[in-house]
Amino acid sequence: MTRRTLLATAAGAALAAGDRFKVCVFSKHFQWTDWKETAVLAAQLGFDGVDLTVREGGHVLPERVGEDLPRAVEILHQAGLETPMITAGIVDAASPHAERILRTASSLGIRYYRWGGFRYQPTKGIAEQLEEFRPKVEALAALNKAHKMCAMYHTHSGPGQVGASIWDLWVLLKGLDPWAVGVNYDIGHATVEGGYGDWITTTRLIAPYLRGTAIKDFRWGQNAKGEWVPQWCALGQGMVNFPRYFQMLREAQFTGPVQLHFEYPELGGADSGKSRMSISKDRFLGIMRRDLQVLRSCL
C-alpha cells in the first residue's frame, strides 16, 4: 500500500474503525508546553487521548503526582480527551514514588501505565538474569493488583535491552495475571529486531499479554560513522507493515491504548522531548496531523 493510497482512504477508514482503537499522543512530544496547551492541541489534531509523562522531566513530576496528576487529567478531560494510561519511570515495586503514582492514577480511573526497563549485564548469563528479574516482576504484579492497575512493559530494540527479543518477556510474564503485568508492544522496535517475519512470530507469542501498543516507523540508514542503524521516519515512509499488524491486533481482539510516537528529527527537538523546538508550531502540528491521518487509514 502506497503512502498516497493511505492518505486518500484516511477519512473513510477512520469512520470504519469506529471506537475500537483509541489513539493517544505521547505527551513527551509536547514537553515544550504546559498541560493546557497540550490538551488544546491534542484535541484540535483529533487524538482520542493523551499518554501523559509522569517521570523525571515529564509533564508531572513523580514527587508531585498527588497534587499535579489530578489537575492535569482534569484539564485533558475538559478538552474531551481520555487518559487511559500514563508513562511512568517505574522499573519495579521499589522505584521511587511507585506506590503513590499507582494510587493516584487508579483514583483517577487510569488503568494502565508504561513500565520498564530491565537491562542485561554482559558479565552474567541471560537465563540467570531472567531468574533474578522474575521476583521483581512478581512483586510489581502484586502491587498493581492492590491498586487495580496494569503495568505494560515497553519494548525497545538494541543490545542489552530486556524485551527486545520479546521471548524473554514471555518468560518473565508466563503464569502471571496479564491484567496486572503485560506488554506495551512497540511495533517499530519489534520490526527493527525482526523485520522480515520474526515480528509476526513475536506478536503471536506475546498476544495474551499485549495491553498497549506504540506506533512508529523506521528505515535502515547509515549514520555519520557509516554504521547501519534504524532511522525513525514518518508513518508510511518506512518498513513497518502496519496493515498486517493491525489485522493481527483485530484478530487478537486487542482493545488497549494505541500510542502514536513521533521520534524523527523533522520535529526539531520535540521528537526527543526537549523543552524548545527549532520548528514553528504550525509545522509541528502539520507533521502530527499527517502521521495521525496515515495511522487512522491503517486502522
Side-chain angles (χ1 to χ4, degrees):
M1 186 178 293
T2 66
R3 182 174 176 81
R4 179 175 297 176
T5 302
L6 289 175
L7 290 170
T9 60
L15 290 173
D19 294 330
R20 180 68 180 275
F21 294 105
K22 299 293 186 179
V23 181
C24 298
V25 64
F26 189 17
S27 84
K28 178 181 82 170
H29 306 309
F30 289 91
Q31 212 63 59
W32 49 271
T33 190
D34 58 17
W35 309 328
K36 290 184 178 180
E37 189 170 18
T38 296
V40 169
L41 296 179
Q44 176 186 327
L45 287 165
F47 285 99
D48 300 306
V50 173
D51 167 16
L52 199 63
T53 50
V54 183
R55 60 187 184 184
E56 292 302 320
H59 274 111
V60 174
L61 300 179
E63 60 269 23
R64 288 194 51 83
V65 66
E67 299 81 12
D68 289 350
L69 186 58
R71 295 169 55 206
V73 167
E74 181 180 5
I75 288 170
L76 293 169
H77 288 182
Q78 287 175 347
L81 296 164
E82 299 181 17
T83 51
M85 67 175 290
I86 58 174
T87 288
I90 296 175
V91 178
D92 55 39
S95 295
H97 311 289
E99 185 163 11
R100 192 177 182 206
I101 291 172
L102 299 187
R103 182 172 62 249
T104 304
S106 181
S107 72
L108 297 169
I110 298 170
R111 290 291 171 259
Y112 301 98
Y113 69 96
R114 210 176 91 180
W115 150 55
F118 299 128
R119 293 190 66 88
Y120 292 117
Q121 299 301 317
T123 56
K124 301 173 71 173
I126 299 299
E128 175 189 0
Q129 292 182 74
L130 289 176
E131 290 180 0
E132 292 174 355
F133 292 139
R134 175 73 180 200
K136 294 183 178 182
V137 177
E138 293 173 344
L140 185 62
L143 181 62
N144 291 335
K145 281 189 175 183
H147 293 285
K148 299 180 180 179
M149 294 286 290
C150 179
M152 306 185 299
Y153 191 98
H154 188 78
T155 61
H156 285 95
S157 58
Q161 294 278 359
V162 174
S165 58
I166 306 299
W167 64 262
D168 51 357
L169 276 184
W170 183 82
V171 170
L172 286 175
L173 298 174
K174 185 179 179 182
L176 298 177
D177 184 351
W179 292 104
V181 281
V183 173
N184 195 52
Y185 192 85
D186 188 311
I187 185 56
H189 284 294
T191 307
V192 169
E193 293 288 344
Y196 186 52
D198 191 54
W199 72 266
I200 297 173
T201 303
T202 58
T203 300
R204 291 178 59 199
L205 175 66
I206 211 67
Y209 289 92
L210 205 157
R211 292 294 169 262
T213 185
I215 305 301
K216 60 171 74 83
D217 207 350
F218 86 100
R219 53 185 172 238
W220 289 101
Q222 290 180 287
N223 62 18
K225 298 180 180 178
E227 302 167 329
W228 286 93
V229 294
Q231 297 177 341
W232 305 114
C233 63
L235 259 60
Q237 294 183 359
M239 63 178 290
V240 176
N241 189 338
F242 292 113
R244 178 69 183 277
Y245 179 58
F246 287 121
Q247 178 185 352
M248 294 182 72
L249 290 187
R250 285 190 290 271
E251 290 170 352
Q253 299 183 337
F254 171 81
T255 57
V258 176
Q259 311 117 53
L260 183 54
H261 289 207
F262 303 81
E263 298 187 354
Y264 46 97
E266 192 178 349
L267 271 84
D271 51 303
S272 58
K274 291 185 177 179
S275 58
R276 292 186 180 181
M277 291 190 297
S278 61
I279 61 173
S280 69
K281 186 189 299 185
D282 286 344
R283 176 62 179 153
F284 169 82
L285 295 177
I287 293 170
M288 282 202 158
R289 188 175 291 110
R290 177 191 65 195
D291 276 16
L292 179 58
Q293 188 178 28
V294 173
L295 176 56
R296 294 287 192 196
S297 72
C298 292
L299 292 175

